Amino acid sequence: MAELLLKGQPIGRVKGVLFDKDGTLSRSEPHLLKLADDRISQALQIWKTLGRAALSEDALRQQLRDAFGRRDNGLDPAGTLAVAARRDNLTSMATVLCLQGCSWPEASRIASDSFDASDQSPSGLPTISELLPGVDGLIEALNQAAVTMAVISNDTRDGIDQFLSHHDLHKRISGLWSADDAPSKPDPGAVQALCAQCDLQPKDCALIGDAETDLTMATAAGIGVVLGFRGGWAVPPHLPSADHLFERWADLNVKASA
């Protein structure tokens, strides 16, 4: 097995490494901030066309911002938009609208229409989030050390495939687990199923994530080395369950087995 090194110090021997995607491999915050603002704007437009009595527009906007974890200084890295799947974010918006007097079917329809309209709105940003600095170097080092790599994310399978293909990583990544798979994150069964897909034992793997739910999931699944990455957000996440924390990909390396 290869030895993982953090700032030159050994932290565990592994056969596989499982990566989260958004906020871990990719600089996703600019996209997610724009997505939050677009979805909220679309919802407010639909709400006004229905002539619904509600809080002031500013107050409703703030409730929707809070539901997504949208802050003035960035995105809450533990908030719904940063951590959860699309279906969970739909539920968050619909719940806020229900508190304003909507029935659940109507609130769900408004949320779905808002999300669909936002998907069609040009973002002004590149289609695919960029890799965080140093990711490609580590992936190449792991590949050279014959370490199996996989991605586990609450993005869709198509979204993960597009990201990997865009950055020419698909040939090095042996498996993936998405929001389309069952069970999905943060169920520990998702980690165990992905390890089985890659012919790995969880105890022989490291998992690297940027959310506390990633890390508690990894521990419950029996992952051998649980790493918290804090360098992907304007406000670094609080990750008390990590075996080790780091903020720069350049600080993580691998030594091939002799």
Side-chain angles (χ1 to χ4, degrees):
M1 292 197 291
E3 184 83 59
L4 282 181
L5 307 173
L6 184 59
K7 295 183 178 179
Q9 299 300 311
I11 58 172
R13 299 180 69 82
V14 298
K15 292 182 179 179
V17 174
L18 313 183
F19 296 95
D20 173 52
K21 182 174 77 70
D22 293 325
T24 301
L25 293 177
S26 71
R27 191 183 301 280
S28 56
E29 187 165 19
H31 286 264
L32 293 175
L33 288 170
K34 185 67 167 57
L35 192 60
D37 292 343
D38 284 350
R39 287 174 175 175
I40 291 169
S41 294
Q42 295 290 346
L44 290 172
Q45 288 180 28
I46 295 171
W47 187 262
K48 285 189 289 187
T49 64
L50 296 174
R52 279 283 190 173
L55 299 172
S56 70
E57 182 176 330
D58 286 345
L60 182 54
R61 183 187 302 274
Q62 186 59 52
Q63 286 193 354
L64 291 169
R65 283 166 59 95
D66 290 344
F68 287 146
R70 174 65 160 104
R71 304 287 184 255
D72 290 339
N73 61 344
L75 200 67
D76 179 354
T80 311
L81 193 59
V83 173
R86 179 186 178 97
R87 60 180 177 270
D88 302 311
N89 283 277
L90 280 163
T91 300
S92 292
M93 177 177 279
T95 300
V96 170
L97 297 176
C98 276
L99 293 173
Q100 299 305 313
C102 271
S103 67
W104 182 252
E106 183 178 30
S108 297
R109 179 179 57 78
I110 294 171
S112 181
D113 288 349
S114 300
F115 278 44
D116 290 345
S118 178
D119 290 344
Q120 303 304 316
S121 176
S123 69
L125 295 169
T127 304
I128 307 294
S129 297
E130 65 180 344
L131 286 178
L132 285 161
V135 166
D136 49 354
L138 176 65
I139 288 178
E140 177 58 26
L142 290 168
N143 186 56
Q144 291 296 321
V147 174
T148 300
M149 289 171 280
V151 171
I152 181 166
S153 170
N154 265 330
D155 196 0
T156 62
R157 180 167 286 270
D158 283 347
I160 299 170
D161 280 334
Q162 289 174 20
F163 173 80
L164 295 176
S165 295
H166 179 82
H167 293 294
D168 199 25
L169 299 177
H170 54 290
K171 295 179 181 177
R172 301 173 187 174
I173 300 298
S174 299
L176 63 87
W177 203 261
S178 73
D180 300 325
D181 297 300
S184 57
K185 289 174 54 174
D187 190 315
V191 172
Q192 294 163 343
L194 179 56
C195 287
Q197 181 188 113
C198 297
D199 197 25
L200 295 167
Q201 295 296 318
K203 65 182 177 62
D204 295 330
C205 296
L207 184 144
I208 307 174
D210 66 318
E212 178 66 3
T213 49
D214 290 341
L215 310 187
T216 56
M217 171 187 69
T219 300
I223 287 290
V225 183
V226 180
L227 291 167
F229 179 70
R230 303 180 74 240
W233 302 95
V235 179
H238 180 56
L239 304 173
S241 297
D243 296 331
H244 305 277
L245 294 169
F246 69 109
E247 296 187 0
R248 300 187 322 130
W249 281 105
D251 290 337
L252 191 64
N253 211 328
V254 61
K255 181 180 178 181
S257 53

